[in-house]
Coordinates of all heavy atoms in Angstrom, one line a residue:
M7 N 1.6 26.5 0.9 CA 2.4 26.3 2.1 C 3.0 24.9 2.2 O 4.1 24.7 2.5 CB 1.7 26.7 3.4 CG 2.5 26.6 4.6 SD 3.7 27.9 4.7 CE 4.2 27.8 6.3
T8 N 2.1 23.9 2.0 CA 2.5 22.5 2.1 C 3.6 22.2 1.0 O 4.6 21.5 1.3 CB 1.3 21.6 1.9 OG1 0.3 21.9 2.8 CG2 1.7 20.1 2.0
N9 N 3.4 22.7 -0.2 CA 4.4 22.4 -1.2 C 5.8 23.0 -0.8 O 6.8 22.4 -1.1 CB 4.0 23.0 -2.6 CG 2.9 22.2 -3.2 OD1 2.7 21.0 -2.9 ND2 2.1 22.8 -4.1
M10 N 5.8 24.2 -0.2 CA 7.0 24.8 0.2 C 7.7 24.0 1.2 O 8.9 23.7 1.2 CB 6.8 26.2 0.7 CG 8.1 26.9 1.1 SD 7.8 28.5 1.8 CE 7.3 28.1 3.4
L11 N 6.9 23.5 2.2 CA 7.5 22.6 3.3 C 8.0 21.3 2.7 O 9.1 20.9 3.1 CB 6.4 22.3 4.3 CG 6.0 23.5 5.2 CD1 4.8 23.1 6.1 CD2 7.1 24.1 6.0
Q12 N 7.3 20.8 1.7 CA 7.8 19.5 1.1 C 9.2 19.8 0.4 O 10.1 18.9 0.5 CB 6.8 19.0 0.1 CG 5.6 18.4 0.8 CD 4.6 17.9 -0.2 OE1 4.6 18.3 -1.4 NE2 3.6 17.2 0.2
K13 N 9.3 20.9 -0.3 CA 10.5 21.2 -1.0 C 11.7 21.4 -0.1 O 12.8 21.0 -0.3 CB 10.3 22.4 -1.9 CG 9.5 22.1 -3.1 CD 9.3 23.3 -4.0 CE 8.3 22.9 -5.2 NZ 8.0 24.0 -6.0
V14 N 11.4 22.1 1.0 CA 12.4 22.4 2.0 C 12.9 21.1 2.7 O 14.1 20.9 2.9 CB 11.9 23.4 3.1 CG1 12.8 23.4 4.3 CG2 11.7 24.7 2.5
A15 N 12.0 20.2 2.9 CA 12.3 18.9 3.5 C 12.9 17.9 2.5 O 13.3 16.8 2.9 CB 11.1 18.3 4.3
G16 N 12.9 18.3 1.3 CA 13.3 17.4 0.2 C 12.4 16.3 -0.1 O 12.7 15.2 -0.6
L17 N 11.1 16.5 0.1 CA 10.0 15.5 -0.1 C 9.1 15.8 -1.2 O 8.0 15.2 -1.3 CB 9.2 15.3 1.2 CG 10.0 14.8 2.4 CD1 9.1 14.8 3.6 CD2 10.5 13.4 2.1
S18 N 9.4 16.8 -2.0 CA 8.4 17.1 -3.1 C 8.2 15.9 -3.9 O 9.1 15.2 -4.3 CB 9.0 18.3 -4.0 OG 10.2 17.9 -4.5
G19 N 6.9 15.5 -4.1 CA 6.6 14.4 -4.8 C 6.5 13.1 -4.0 O 6.0 12.1 -4.5
M20 N 7.0 13.1 -2.8 CA 7.0 11.9 -2.0 C 5.7 11.7 -1.2 O 5.4 10.5 -0.8 CB 8.2 11.9 -1.0 CG 9.6 11.8 -1.5 SD 9.9 10.2 -2.3 CE 9.9 9.2 -0.9
T21 N 4.9 12.7 -1.0 CA 3.7 12.6 -0.2 C 2.8 11.5 -0.8 O 2.3 10.7 -0.1 CB 3.0 13.9 -0.1 OG1 4.0 14.8 0.5 CG2 1.8 13.8 0.9
D22 N 2.5 11.6 -2.1 CA 1.6 10.6 -2.7 C 2.2 9.2 -2.6 O 1.4 8.3 -2.3 CB 1.4 10.9 -4.2 CG 0.6 12.2 -4.4 OD1 -0.1 12.6 -3.5 OD2 0.6 12.7 -5.6
Q23 N 3.4 9.1 -2.7 CA 4.1 7.7 -2.6 C 3.9 7.2 -1.2 O 3.6 6.0 -1.0 CB 5.5 7.8 -3.0 CG 6.2 6.4 -3.0 CD 7.7 6.5 -3.4 OE1 8.1 7.5 -3.8 NE2 8.4 5.4 -3.3
V24 N 4.2 8.0 -0.2 CA 4.1 7.6 1.2 C 2.6 7.2 1.5 O 2.4 6.1 2.1 CB 4.5 8.7 2.1 CG1 4.2 8.4 3.6 CG2 6.0 8.9 1.9
I25 N 1.7 8.0 1.1 CA 0.3 7.7 1.3 C -0.1 6.4 0.6 O -0.8 5.5 1.2 CB -0.6 8.9 0.9 CG1 -0.4 10.1 1.8 CG2 -2.1 8.4 0.9 CD1 -1.0 11.3 1.3
A26 N 0.2 6.3 -0.6 CA -0.1 5.1 -1.4 C 0.5 3.8 -0.8 O -0.1 2.8 -0.7 CB 0.3 5.2 -2.9
T27 N 1.8 3.9 -0.4 CA 2.5 2.8 0.2 C 1.8 2.4 1.5 O 1.6 1.2 1.8 CB 4.0 3.1 0.5 OG1 4.6 3.5 -0.8 CG2 4.7 2.0 1.1
D28 N 1.4 3.3 2.3 CA 0.8 3.0 3.6 C -0.6 2.4 3.3 O -0.9 1.4 4.0 CB 0.6 4.3 4.4 CG 0.0 4.1 5.8 OD1 0.6 3.2 6.5 OD2 -1.0 4.7 6.2
F29 N -1.3 2.9 2.3 CA -2.6 2.3 2.0 C -2.4 0.9 1.5 O -3.2 0.0 1.8 CB -3.3 3.2 0.9 CG -4.7 3.0 0.8 CD1 -5.5 2.4 1.7 CD2 -5.3 3.5 -0.4 CE1 -6.9 2.2 1.5 CE2 -6.7 3.3 -0.6 CZ -7.5 2.6 0.4
L30 N -1.4 0.6 0.7 CA -1.1 -0.7 0.1 C -0.8 -1.7 1.3 O -1.3 -2.8 1.3 CB 0.0 -0.7 -0.9 CG 0.3 -2.0 -1.6 CD1 -0.8 -2.4 -2.5 CD2 1.6 -1.9 -2.3
I31 N 0.0 -1.3 2.2 CA 0.4 -2.1 3.3 C -0.9 -2.4 4.2 O -1.1 -3.6 4.6 CB 1.5 -1.4 4.2 CG1 2.8 -1.4 3.4 CG2 1.6 -2.2 5.5 CD1 3.9 -0.5 4.0
S32 N -1.7 -1.4 4.4 CA -2.9 -1.6 5.1 C -3.9 -2.6 4.4 O -4.5 -3.4 5.1 CB -3.7 -0.3 5.3 OG -2.9 0.6 6.1
T33 N -4.0 -2.5 3.1 CA -4.8 -3.4 2.4 C -4.3 -4.8 2.4 O -5.1 -5.8 2.5 CB -5.0 -3.0 0.9 OG1 -4.4 -1.8 0.7 CG2 -6.4 -2.9 0.5
K34 N -3.0 -5.0 2.3 CA -2.4 -6.3 2.4 C -2.7 -6.9 3.8 O -3.0 -8.1 3.9 CB -0.9 -6.3 2.2 CG -0.4 -6.1 0.8 CD 1.1 -6.0 0.7 CE 1.5 -5.8 -0.7 NZ 2.8 -6.1 -1.0
S35 N -2.6 -6.1 4.8 CA -2.9 -6.6 6.1 C -4.4 -7.0 6.3 O -4.8 -8.0 6.9 CB -2.6 -5.5 7.2 OG -2.9 -5.9 8.5
A36 N -5.3 -6.2 5.6 CA -6.7 -6.5 5.7 C -7.0 -7.8 5.0 O -7.8 -8.6 5.5 CB -7.5 -5.4 5.0
V37 N -6.4 -8.0 3.8 CA -6.5 -9.3 3.1 C -6.1 -10.5 4.0 O -6.8 -11.5 4.2 CB -5.8 -9.3 1.8 CG1 -5.7 -10.7 1.2 CG2 -6.4 -8.3 0.8
R38 N -4.9 -10.3 4.6 CA -4.4 -11.4 5.5 C -5.4 -11.6 6.7 O -5.7 -12.8 7.0 CB -3.0 -11.1 6.0 CG -2.4 -12.2 6.8 CD -1.1 -11.8 7.5 NE -1.3 -10.7 8.4 CZ -0.7 -9.4 8.3 NH1 0.1 -9.2 7.3 NH2 -1.0 -8.5 9.2
N39 N -5.8 -10.6 7.3 CA -6.6 -10.7 8.5 C -8.0 -11.2 8.2 O -8.6 -12.0 8.9 CB -6.8 -9.3 9.2 CG -5.5 -8.9 9.9 OD1 -4.6 -9.7 10.1 ND2 -5.3 -7.6 10.1
M40 N -8.6 -10.8 7.0 CA -9.9 -11.2 6.6 C -9.8 -12.7 6.3 O -10.8 -13.5 6.6 CB -10.3 -10.5 5.4 CG -11.8 -10.3 5.2 SD -12.5 -9.3 6.5 CE -11.8 -7.7 6.2
T41 N -8.7 -13.2 5.7 CA -8.6 -14.6 5.3 C -8.5 -15.4 6.6 O -9.2 -16.5 6.7 CB -7.3 -14.8 4.5 OG1 -7.4 -14.0 3.3 CG2 -7.1 -16.3 4.1
F42 N -7.8 -15.0 7.6 CA -7.7 -15.7 8.8 C -9.1 -15.7 9.5 O -9.5 -16.8 10.0 CB -6.7 -15.0 9.8 CG -6.6 -15.7 11.1 CD1 -5.8 -16.9 11.2 CD2 -7.2 -15.2 12.2 CE1 -5.7 -17.5 12.4 CE2 -7.1 -15.8 13.4 CZ -6.4 -17.0 13.6
A43 N -9.8 -14.6 9.5 CA -11.1 -14.6 10.2 C -12.1 -15.5 9.4 O -12.9 -16.1 10.1 CB -11.6 -13.1 10.1
L44 N -12.0 -15.6 8.1 CA -12.8 -16.4 7.4 C -12.7 -17.9 7.8 O -13.6 -18.6 7.8 CB -12.6 -16.2 5.9 CG -13.4 -16.9 4.9 CD1 -14.9 -16.5 5.0 CD2 -13.0 -16.6 3.4
T45 N -11.4 -18.3 8.0 CA -11.2 -19.7 8.4 C -11.7 -20.0 9.8 O -11.9 -21.2 10.1 CB -9.7 -20.1 8.3 OG1 -9.0 -19.3 9.3 CG2 -9.1 -19.8 7.0
E46 N -11.9 -19.0 10.6 CA -12.4 -19.1 12.0 C -13.9 -18.9 12.1 O -14.5 -19.0 13.2 CB -11.6 -18.2 12.9 CG -10.1 -18.4 12.9 CD -9.8 -19.8 13.5 OE1 -10.4 -20.2 14.5 OE2 -8.9 -20.4 13.0
A47 N -14.6 -18.4 11.1 CA -16.0 -18.1 11.1 C -16.8 -19.3 11.5 O -16.6 -20.4 10.9 CB -16.5 -17.5 9.8
A48 N -17.8 -19.1 12.3 CA -18.6 -20.2 12.8 C -19.9 -20.4 12.1 O -20.4 -21.6 12.1 CB -18.9 -20.0 14.3
T49 N -20.4 -19.4 11.4 CA -21.7 -19.6 10.7 C -21.5 -19.2 9.2 O -20.7 -18.4 8.8 CB -22.8 -18.7 11.3 OG1 -22.4 -17.3 11.1 CG2 -22.9 -19.0 12.8
P50 N -22.4 -19.8 8.4 CA -22.4 -19.4 7.0 C -22.6 -17.9 6.7 O -22.0 -17.4 5.8 CB -23.5 -20.3 6.3 CG -23.8 -21.4 7.3 CD -23.4 -20.8 8.7
E51 N -23.5 -17.3 7.5 CA -23.7 -15.9 7.4 C -22.5 -15.0 7.6 O -22.2 -14.1 6.8 CB -24.9 -15.4 8.3 CG -26.2 -16.1 8.0 CD -26.4 -17.5 8.6 OE1 -25.6 -17.9 9.5 OE2 -27.3 -18.2 8.2
V52 N -21.8 -15.4 8.6 CA -20.5 -14.7 8.9 C -19.5 -14.9 7.8 O -18.8 -13.9 7.4 CB -20.0 -15.1 10.3 CG1 -18.6 -14.5 10.5 CG2 -20.9 -14.6 11.4
R53 N -19.4 -16.1 7.3 CA -18.5 -16.4 6.2 C -18.8 -15.6 5.0 O -18.0 -15.1 4.3 CB -18.4 -17.9 5.9 CG -17.6 -18.7 6.9 CD -17.3 -20.1 6.5 NE -18.6 -20.9 6.5 CZ -19.1 -21.6 7.5 NH1 -18.5 -21.5 8.7 NH2 -20.1 -22.3 7.4
D54 N -20.1 -15.5 4.7 CA -20.6 -14.7 3.5 C -20.2 -13.2 3.6 O -19.7 -12.6 2.7 CB -22.1 -14.8 3.3 CG -22.5 -16.2 2.8 OD1 -21.7 -16.9 2.3 OD2 -23.7 -16.5 2.9
V55 N -20.3 -12.7 4.8 CA -20.0 -11.3 5.0 C -18.4 -11.1 4.9 O -18.0 -10.2 4.2 CB -20.4 -10.8 6.4 CG1 -19.8 -9.4 6.8 CG2 -22.0 -10.7 6.5
L56 N -17.7 -12.0 5.5 CA -16.2 -11.9 5.4 C -15.7 -12.1 4.0 O -14.8 -11.5 3.6 CB -15.6 -13.0 6.4 CG -15.8 -12.7 7.9 CD1 -15.3 -13.8 8.7 CD2 -15.0 -11.4 8.2
R57 N -16.4 -13.1 3.3 CA -16.0 -13.2 1.9 C -16.2 -11.9 1.1 O -15.3 -11.6 0.2 CB -16.8 -14.4 1.2 CG -16.1 -15.7 1.2 CD -16.8 -16.7 0.4 NE -16.6 -18.0 1.0 CZ -17.5 -18.6 1.7 NH1 -18.7 -18.1 2.0 NH2 -17.2 -19.8 2.3
G58 N -17.3 -11.3 1.3 CA -17.5 -10.0 0.6 C -16.5 -9.0 1.0 O -16.0 -8.3 0.1
Q59 N -16.1 -8.9 2.3 CA -15.1 -7.9 2.7 C -13.7 -8.3 2.1 O -13.0 -7.4 1.8 CB -15.1 -7.9 4.2 CG -16.3 -7.3 4.8 CD -16.5 -5.8 4.4 OE1 -15.5 -5.0 4.5 NE2 -17.7 -5.5 3.9
L60 N -13.4 -9.6 2.1 CA -12.2 -10.1 1.5 C -12.1 -9.7 0.0 O -11.1 -9.2 -0.4 CB -12.0 -11.6 1.7 CG -10.8 -12.2 1.0 CD1 -9.5 -11.7 1.6 CD2 -10.9 -13.7 1.2
N61 N -13.1 -9.9 -0.7 CA -13.2 -9.5 -2.1 C -13.0 -8.0 -2.3 O -12.2 -7.6 -3.2 CB -14.4 -10.0 -2.8 CG -14.5 -11.5 -3.0 OD1 -13.4 -12.1 -3.1 ND2 -15.7 -12.1 -3.0
Y62 N -13.6 -7.3 -1.4 CA -13.4 -5.8 -1.5 C -12.0 -5.4 -1.2 O -11.4 -4.6 -1.9 CB -14.4 -5.1 -0.5 CG -14.2 -3.6 -0.4 CD1 -14.8 -2.8 -1.4 CD2 -13.5 -3.0 0.6 CE1 -14.7 -1.5 -1.4 CE2 -13.3 -1.7 0.6 CZ -13.9 -0.9 -0.4 OH -13.8 0.5 -0.3
A63 N -11.4 -6.0 -0.2 CA -10.0 -5.7 0.1 C -9.0 -6.1 -1.0 O -8.1 -5.4 -1.3 CB -9.6 -6.4 1.4
I64 N -9.3 -7.3 -1.7 CA -8.5 -7.7 -2.8 C -8.6 -6.7 -4.0 O -7.6 -6.4 -4.6 CB -8.9 -9.2 -3.2 CG1 -8.4 -10.1 -2.1 CG2 -8.2 -9.5 -4.6 CD1 -9.0 -11.5 -2.3
E65 N -9.8 -6.3 -4.3 CA -10.0 -5.3 -5.3 C -9.3 -4.0 -5.0 O -8.7 -3.4 -5.9 CB -11.5 -5.1 -5.5 CG -12.2 -6.2 -6.2 CD -13.7 -6.1 -6.2 OE1 -14.2 -4.9 -6.0 OE2 -14.4 -7.1 -6.4
A66 N -9.4 -3.6 -3.8 CA -8.7 -2.3 -3.4 C -7.2 -2.5 -3.5 O -6.5 -1.6 -4.0 CB -9.0 -2.0 -1.9
H67 N -6.7 -3.6 -3.1 CA -5.2 -3.9 -3.3 C -4.8 -3.8 -4.7 O -3.8 -3.2 -5.1 CB -4.9 -5.3 -2.7 CG -3.4 -5.6 -2.8 ND1 -2.9 -6.2 -3.9 CD2 -2.4 -5.4 -1.9 CE1 -1.6 -6.3 -3.8 NE2 -1.3 -5.9 -2.6
E68 N -5.6 -4.4 -5.6 CA -5.3 -4.4 -7.1 C -5.3 -2.9 -7.6 O -4.4 -2.5 -8.3 CB -6.4 -5.2 -7.8 CG -6.3 -5.1 -9.3 CD -5.0 -5.7 -9.9 OE1 -4.4 -6.5 -9.2 OE2 -4.6 -5.3 -11.0
K69 N -6.3 -2.1 -7.2 CA -6.3 -0.7 -7.7 C -5.2 0.1 -7.2 O -4.6 0.9 -7.9 CB -7.7 -0.1 -7.2 CG -8.8 -0.6 -8.0 CD -10.1 0.0 -7.5 CE -11.3 -0.7 -8.2 NZ -12.6 -0.2 -7.6
I70 N -4.8 -0.1 -5.9 CA -3.7 0.7 -5.3 C -2.4 0.2 -6.0 O -1.5 1.0 -6.3 CB -3.6 0.4 -3.8 CG1 -4.9 1.0 -3.1 CG2 -2.4 1.1 -3.2 CD1 -5.1 0.5 -1.7
S71 N -2.2 -1.1 -6.2 CA -1.0 -1.6 -6.8 C -0.9 -1.0 -8.2 O 0.2 -0.6 -8.6 CB -1.1 -3.1 -6.9 OG -1.0 -3.7 -5.7
Q72 N -2.0 -1.0 -9.0 CA -1.9 -0.5 -10.4 C -1.6 1.0 -10.4 O -0.8 1.4 -11.2 CB -3.3 -0.7 -11.1 CG -3.6 -2.1 -11.4 CD -2.5 -2.7 -12.4 OE1 -2.1 -2.0 -13.4 NE2 -2.1 -3.9 -12.2
Y73 N -2.2 1.7 -9.4 CA -1.9 3.2 -9.3 C -0.4 3.4 -9.0 O 0.3 4.2 -9.7 CB -2.7 3.8 -8.2 CG -2.3 5.2 -7.8 CD1 -2.7 6.3 -8.6 CD2 -1.4 5.4 -6.7 CE1 -2.3 7.6 -8.2 CE2 -1.0 6.7 -6.4 CZ -1.4 7.8 -7.1 OH -1.0 9.0 -6.8
M74 N 0.1 2.6 -8.1 CA 1.5 2.7 -7.7 C 2.5 2.3 -8.8 O 3.5 3.0 -9.0 CB 1.8 2.0 -6.4 CG 1.1 2.5 -5.2 SD 1.5 1.6 -3.7 CE 3.2 2.0 -3.5
M75 N 2.1 1.3 -9.6 CA 3.0 0.9 -10.7 C 2.9 1.9 -11.8 O 4.0 2.2 -12.4 CB 2.5 -0.5 -11.3 CG 2.9 -1.6 -10.3 SD 2.5 -3.3 -11.0 CE 0.8 -3.4 -10.7
E76 N 1.8 2.5 -12.1 CA 1.7 3.6 -13.1 C 2.5 4.8 -12.7 O 3.1 5.4 -13.6 CB 0.2 4.0 -13.3 CG -0.6 2.9 -14.0 CD -2.1 3.2 -13.9 OE1 -2.5 4.4 -13.5 OE2 -2.9 2.3 -14.3
K77 N 2.6 5.1 -11.4 CA 3.3 6.2 -11.0 C 4.8 5.9 -10.8 O 5.6 6.9 -10.6 CB 2.8 6.7 -9.6 CG 1.4 7.3 -9.7 CD 1.4 8.6 -10.4 CE 0.0 9.3 -10.3 NZ 0.1 10.6 -10.8
G78 N 5.2 4.7 -10.9 CA 6.6 4.3 -10.7 C 7.0 4.1 -9.2 O 8.2 4.1 -8.9
Y79 N 6.0 4.0 -8.4 CA 6.3 3.8 -6.9 C 6.5 2.4 -6.5 O 7.0 2.1 -5.5 CB 5.1 4.3 -6.1 CG 4.7 5.8 -6.3 CD1 3.4 6.2 -6.1 CD2 5.6 6.8 -6.7 CE1 3.0 7.5 -6.2 CE2 5.2 8.1 -6.9 CZ 3.9 8.4 -6.6 OH 3.5 9.7 -6.8
Y80 N 6.0 1.4 -7.4 CA 5.9 0.0 -7.0 C 6.3 -0.8 -8.2 O 5.8 -0.7 -9.3 CB 4.5 -0.3 -6.5 CG 4.3 -1.6 -6.0 CD1 5.1 -2.2 -5.0 CD2 3.2 -2.4 -6.3 CE1 4.9 -3.4 -4.5 CE2 2.9 -3.6 -5.8 CZ 3.7 -4.2 -4.9 OH 3.5 -5.4 -4.3
H81 N 7.3 -1.7 -8.0 CA 7.8 -2.6 -9.0 C 7.8 -4.0 -8.5 O 8.9 -4.5 -8.2 CB 9.2 -2.1 -9.5 CG 9.3 -0.7 -9.9 ND1 9.0 -0.3 -11.1 CD2 9.6 0.4 -9.2 CE1 9.1 1.0 -11.2 NE2 9.5 1.5 -10.0
P82 N 6.7 -4.7 -8.4 CA 6.6 -6.0 -7.8 C 7.4 -7.1 -8.6 O 7.8 -8.1 -8.0 CB 5.2 -6.3 -7.7 CG 4.5 -5.5 -8.8 CD 5.4 -4.2 -8.9
S83 N 7.6 -6.9 -9.9 CA 8.3 -7.9 -10.6 C 9.8 -7.5 -11.0 O 10.4 -8.2 -11.8 CB 7.5 -8.2 -11.9 OG 7.4 -7.0 -12.7
D84 N 10.2 -6.4 -10.5 CA 11.6 -5.9 -10.7 C 12.2 -5.5 -9.4 O 12.2 -4.4 -9.0 CB 11.6 -4.7 -11.7 CG 13.0 -4.3 -12.2 OD1 14.0 -4.7 -11.5 OD2 13.1 -3.6 -13.1
L85 N 12.9 -6.5 -8.8 CA 13.4 -6.2 -7.4 C 14.5 -5.2 -7.4 O 14.6 -4.4 -6.4 CB 13.9 -7.5 -6.8 CG 12.8 -8.6 -6.6 CD1 13.4 -9.9 -6.0 CD2 11.7 -8.1 -5.6
D86 N 15.3 -5.1 -8.4 CA 16.4 -4.1 -8.4 C 15.8 -2.7 -8.5 O 16.2 -1.8 -7.8 CB 17.3 -4.3 -9.6 CG 18.2 -5.5 -9.5 OD1 18.5 -5.9 -8.3 OD2 18.6 -6.1 -10.5
E87 N 14.8 -2.5 -9.3 CA 14.1 -1.2 -9.4 C 13.4 -0.9 -8.1 O 13.4 0.3 -7.7 CB 13.1 -1.2 -10.6 CG 12.5 0.2 -10.9 CD 13.6 1.2 -11.2 OE1 14.6 0.9 -11.8 OE2 13.3 2.4 -10.9
Q88 N 12.7 -1.9 -7.5 CA 12.0 -1.6 -6.3 C 13.0 -1.3 -5.2 O 12.7 -0.4 -4.3 CB 11.2 -2.9 -5.8 CG 10.3 -2.6 -4.6 CD 9.3 -1.5 -4.9 OE1 8.7 -1.5 -5.9 NE2 9.2 -0.6 -3.9
L89 N 14.2 -1.9 -5.2 CA 15.2 -1.5 -4.2 C 15.6 -0.1 -4.4 O 15.8 0.7 -3.4 CB 16.4 -2.5 -4.3 CG 17.6 -2.2 -3.4 CD1 17.1 -2.3 -1.9 CD2 18.7 -3.1 -3.7
T90 N 15.8 0.4 -5.6 CA 16.1 1.8 -5.9 C 15.1 2.7 -5.3 O 15.4 3.7 -4.7 CB 16.3 2.0 -7.4 OG1 17.3 1.1 -7.9 CG2 16.7 3.4 -7.7
V91 N 13.8 2.4 -5.6 CA 12.7 3.2 -5.1 C 12.7 3.2 -3.5 O 12.5 4.3 -2.9 CB 11.4 2.7 -5.6 CG1 10.2 3.4 -4.9 CG2 11.3 2.9 -7.1
D92 N 12.9 2.1 -2.9 CA 12.9 2.0 -1.5 C 14.0 2.7 -0.8 O 13.9 3.4 0.2 CB 12.9 0.5 -1.0 CG 11.6 -0.2 -1.3 OD1 10.6 0.4 -1.6 OD2 11.6 -1.5 -1.3
L93 N 15.2 2.6 -1.4 CA 16.4 3.4 -0.9 C 16.1 4.9 -1.0 O 16.5 5.6 0.0 CB 17.6 3.0 -1.7 CG 18.2 1.6 -1.3 CD1 19.3 1.2 -2.3 CD2 18.6 1.5 0.1
K94 N 15.5 5.3 -2.1 CA 15.2 6.8 -2.2 C 14.3 7.2 -1.1 O 14.5 8.2 -0.5 CB 14.7 7.0 -3.6 CG 14.3 8.5 -3.8 CD 13.8 8.7 -5.2 CE 13.3 10.1 -5.4 NZ 12.6 10.3 -6.7
A95 N 13.2 6.4 -0.9 CA 12.3 6.7 0.2 C 12.9 6.7 1.6 O 12.6 7.5 2.4 CB 11.1 5.7 0.1
S96 N 13.8 5.7 1.8 CA 14.5 5.7 3.1 C 15.4 6.9 3.3 O 15.4 7.4 4.4 CB 15.4 4.4 3.1 OG 14.6 3.3 3.0
K97 N 16.1 7.3 2.3 CA 16.9 8.5 2.4 C 16.1 9.7 2.7 O 16.5 10.6 3.6 CB 17.7 8.7 1.1 CG 18.9 7.7 1.0 CD 19.6 7.9 -0.3 CE 20.6 6.8 -0.5 NZ 21.3 6.8 -1.7
A98 N 14.9 9.8 2.1 CA 14.0 11.0 2.4 C 13.5 10.9 3.8 O 13.5 11.9 4.5 CB 12.8 11.0 1.4
A99 N 13.2 9.7 4.3 CA 12.8 9.6 5.7 C 13.9 9.9 6.7 O 13.6 10.6 7.7 CB 12.3 8.1 5.9
L100 N 15.1 9.6 6.4 CA 16.2 9.9 7.2 C 16.5 11.4 7.3 O 16.8 12.0 8.3 CB 17.5 9.2 6.8 CG 17.5 7.7 7.0 CD1 18.7 7.1 6.3 CD2 17.5 7.4 8.5
K101 N 16.2 12.1 6.2 CA 16.3 13.6 6.2 C 15.3 14.2 7.2 O 15.6 15.2 7.8 CB 16.0 14.1 4.8 CG 17.2 14.0 3.8 CD 16.8 14.7 2.5 CE 18.0 14.6 1.5 NZ 17.6 15.3 0.2
L102 N 14.2 13.6 7.3 CA 13.2 14.1 8.2 C 13.7 14.0 9.7 O 13.3 14.8 10.5 CB 11.8 13.4 8.1 CG 11.1 13.7 6.8 CD1 9.8 12.8 6.8 CD2 10.7 15.2 6.8
A103 N 14.4 12.9 9.9 CA 14.9 12.7 11.3 C 16.0 13.6 11.7 O 16.2 13.8 12.9 CB 15.4 11.2 11.4
D104 N 16.7 14.2 10.8 CA 17.8 15.2 11.1 C 17.3 16.4 11.8 O 16.3 16.9 11.7 CB 18.5 15.6 9.9 CG 19.4 14.4 9.4 OD1 19.6 13.5 10.2 OD2 19.8 14.4 8.2

């Protein structure tokens, strides 16, 4: 049923990309927030915990980025290609709004 709905909406194959992109954005935010929290930590124990969480978030970001690059969803070093991918995703999102 889900595949049929995706095809009707013109989103077949887009679900993985949308989920991965959302996850990548969330991980980037976690890295940024964890870094900020680390600079504000008052005790060595808190800093140790935050460093561990920061390392985990960086590793997750790397894995998600690699997955997205392998699938052709993410082109961090080719802005023209990334623009093409982003425009395609934007058009698909606009179809949902109709």
Side-chain angles (χ1 to χ4, degrees):
M7 182 69 168
T8 302
N9 286 339
M10 184 183 76
L11 291 174
Q12 288 176 346
K13 286 179 184 175
V14 169
L17 294 176
S18 56
M20 289 296 291
T21 305
D22 289 345
Q23 182 179 355
V24 170
I25 292 169
T27 301
D28 187 51
F29 197 19
L30 184 68
I31 291 167
S32 295
T33 349
K34 284 181 182 195
S35 179
V37 168
R38 184 186 63 242
N39 292 339
M40 211 65 67
T41 303
F42 179 78
L44 186 59
T45 65
E46 299 295 319
T49 67
E51 294 82 14
V52 172
R53 282 191 293 276
D54 287 343
V55 170
L56 290 171
R57 265 191 213 98
Q59 292 298 311
L60 175 60
N61 288 333
Y62 178 78
I64 292 169
E65 289 171 15
H67 180 274
E68 173 66 20
K69 289 177 184 175
I70 298 162
S71 295
Q72 287 299 319
Y73 169 81
M74 291 181 70
M75 286 186 280
E76 288 169 10
K77 295 287 187 173
Y79 303 151
Y80 186 48
H81 305 275
S83 57
D84 186 346
L85 295 180
D86 289 333
E87 186 62 31
Q88 188 59 47
L89 180 61
T90 301
V91 170
D92 290 345
L93 287 173
K94 181 180 175 186
S96 297
K97 288 176 184 176
L100 288 172
K101 281 185 182 181
L102 287 177
D104 288 342

